[in-house]
Amino acid sequence: MSVTSAVANAAAAAAAAGTGKKAAQVQLQAELNNDDEWNKFLLRDGLLVIDVYTEWCGPCIGMVGNLKKIKVEIGGDNLHLAVAKADTIGCLSRFRNRSEPTWMFISGGQLINVVFGADAPRLARTIVEELKNEELVKKGERERPTRAPHELTPPEQEVALAQAKLLQLRKEKEAAAAAAERLERREARAVALEVHFNDVCPALMMPHSQKNIRKVSDALEPYGVIVADKCPLVLGKDGAKILGVEDPEFAKPETAMALLERPALVLLLKKLPDKEGSVIELVRRAIYNEGIESDEDDTKKSLAEELRANGIPGVFVPTDRHQRASALDLFFPKMVSAVAAPLTAPEPPHVAMILGAWQRRAVLNIIASKLPSRLLRYGFFKDADVEQPTLLCKTIDQYEERPEKDFSETIVLMISVGVTDPGAEGAPVTEGVPHELLSLGPLWVSEDAVLGKEECARFFPPGYSEPEKKPGPKPKKKKKKRHDTREETADNVDAPPGTAPDTEAGDGSVEGDPDPEGEEEGEEREEEGQGDGDGEAEEGEELLLDKGTSPPPVND
């Protein structure tokens, strides 16, 4: 059957999958799991239609019947079908971490088309068109495009370019937000510490310049600054990195190595009470000659230049209040912690991800096994409302104890999309949204880390992670004591002869005493009633559990 005469049958074949002759005996679809199988498959003649999938998002099973039907009805030996695993095939690397169905059209070793999305009619039309084009190529009436399978098609190039622009804009937006947040944190820390250390300036002398401590002291004395304290300190790798962020000169490998090999000498410089001006400006004027207008020979070196050796600076002095606060935390942590709250690490960039609560076990299993450090917080909410969320509970144990569950309930995750470098204090290293969670089909994912921070603040307000106070046990009610039997006996003895003790309508029980038989019957009735209620509750829970563990029904 020629392709031209079978165009009308293609749509019917795609819509009526399963009708016609069965081809169970013939392997109509190859499986490609490595480069060797891929290269061997590309050597076949005719049109190759390959369903590209990933390990965490398998091939499009719903289209298998349609494709096989088209091959039997139309393609024959000119059409070859396959499924290829992008995770283990080199030239398919660009399709990894994608959840969208993808079909590649290859002929003569050249990529001629790519179709995205589970659109059966469109896929059928494309197959028919490419089969017609192959007939024209064989007749010499058309040239096949020259494009290797690993190269992008023009539509892919446009999409890739648009995505690259969006990614660049997102990175710039996140970087600007991170810089603003870092500046805000530094200002807050400076304000908190200058209450106690406004007349103090920390400094550091490198190992090679410590012998010149007397020169430093003499240079500071005319400006009313003294060395109030000094002590050796090994900064370590993280400390050296933090110092390198504050002053780029200390970020050089040779300078950082010098700080790791030998202890530096940290100084606590203090301004005398009768001296006016900023202590930071006075110290930098004494050591760096900043702000000094001199008519003397300009070749005179500052003390900082004299202390430099082999390109390694000899001294560090903060340039402003922000650097002073950072240096105080780094050089004198015990002294600072005695008067101010400790410095808390900034949260990594994060986004909000919403999934159905019925997926909770799969979600938490993936996080526990593959992403334990990426989950910052989570909780269960009434629905997927991002603007005004309604919290149900904070842990899965609390959610499992809920007697009633509903399809609309959600689990919301606060997922980090980057890590915060402790040396850069707020500079994010982008990792992206975990594809393992994206494969579950979330209901919502924040557009970027900036919006993610705002959305997570609504789901997880300050104090969310603080432990909840459990209510104490209720005090037990005191039981009423029965009348003393001796008093009752005395009353009966004092009664006139021939009279009986007070009784109720001939039931033989003393007034005020419970009927033992009646009490036992009542208890039996209560137990029976409770048993029936438990049975009904168990049946109801089984019905409600379907809403808690199954996906919502699809409306017709």
Side-chain angles (χ1 to χ4, degrees), residues 348-370:
H350 50 269
V351 297
M353 179 178 287
I354 305 177
L355 300 102
W358 62 272
Q359 297 172 290
R360 61 192 179 278
R361 295 172 186 170
V363 170
L364 296 180
N365 285 339
I366 289 176
I367 291 174
S369 60
K370 299 180 179 180

Side-chain angles (χ1 to χ4, degrees), residues 211-281:
K211 59 185 178 182
N212 297 307
I213 180 65
R214 185 65 183 177
K215 285 186 177 182
V216 173
S217 178
D218 292 343
L220 294 171
E221 185 177 356
Y223 294 93
V225 179
I226 62 173
V227 180
D229 195 6
K230 59 182 178 180
C231 64
L233 176 67
V234 178
L235 286 182
K237 186 176 181 180
D238 292 338
K241 188 181 292 186
I242 294 175
L243 188 61
V245 172
E246 298 297 338
D247 190 338
E249 277 199 312
F250 288 82
K252 297 178 180 179
E254 58 273 14
T255 306
M257 187 60 66
L259 289 171
L260 295 177
E261 292 176 350
R262 296 167 55 191
L265 184 66
V266 292
L267 310 177
L268 190 65
L269 310 178
K270 187 175 182 180
K271 184 184 69 171
L272 297 176
D274 58 346
K275 193 67 177 178
E276 296 182 357
S278 168
V279 63
I280 298 176
E281 294 178 358

Side-chain angles (χ1 to χ4, degrees), residues 32 38 45 58 71 75 120 225 239 275 309 321 324 460 482 493:
L32 312 178
W38 170 266
D45 293 330
K71 175 175 173 59
V225 179
K275 193 67 177 178
R321 14 198 309 276
R324 174 175 64 181
F460 311 103
R482 297 179 61 182
V493 170

Side-chain angles (χ1 to χ4, degrees), residues 39 67 279-280 331 344 353 374 377 385 389 418 494-495 527:
N39 294 330
L67 292 174
V279 63
I280 298 176
F331 300 159
T344 58
M353 179 178 287
R374 302 289 295 273
R377 296 180 188 86
D385 189 352
D494 295 339
E527 291 176 359

Side-chain angles (χ1 to χ4, degrees), residues 371-393:
L371 309 165
S373 62
R374 302 289 295 273
L375 179 64
L376 304 180
R377 296 180 188 86
Y378 81 98
F380 292 88
F381 291 79
K382 181 180 178 182
D383 48 34
D385 189 352
V386 181
E387 298 299 328
Q388 296 180 342
T390 302
L391 177 67
L392 298 179
C393 53

Side-chain angles (χ1 to χ4, degrees), residues 166 170 173-174 351-352 444-452 455:
L166 290 176
R170 190 187 75 183
K173 180 181 179 182
E174 291 178 349
V351 297
W444 177 268
V445 180
S446 303
E447 183 178 341
D448 52 51
V450 178
L451 293 177
E455 293 166 357

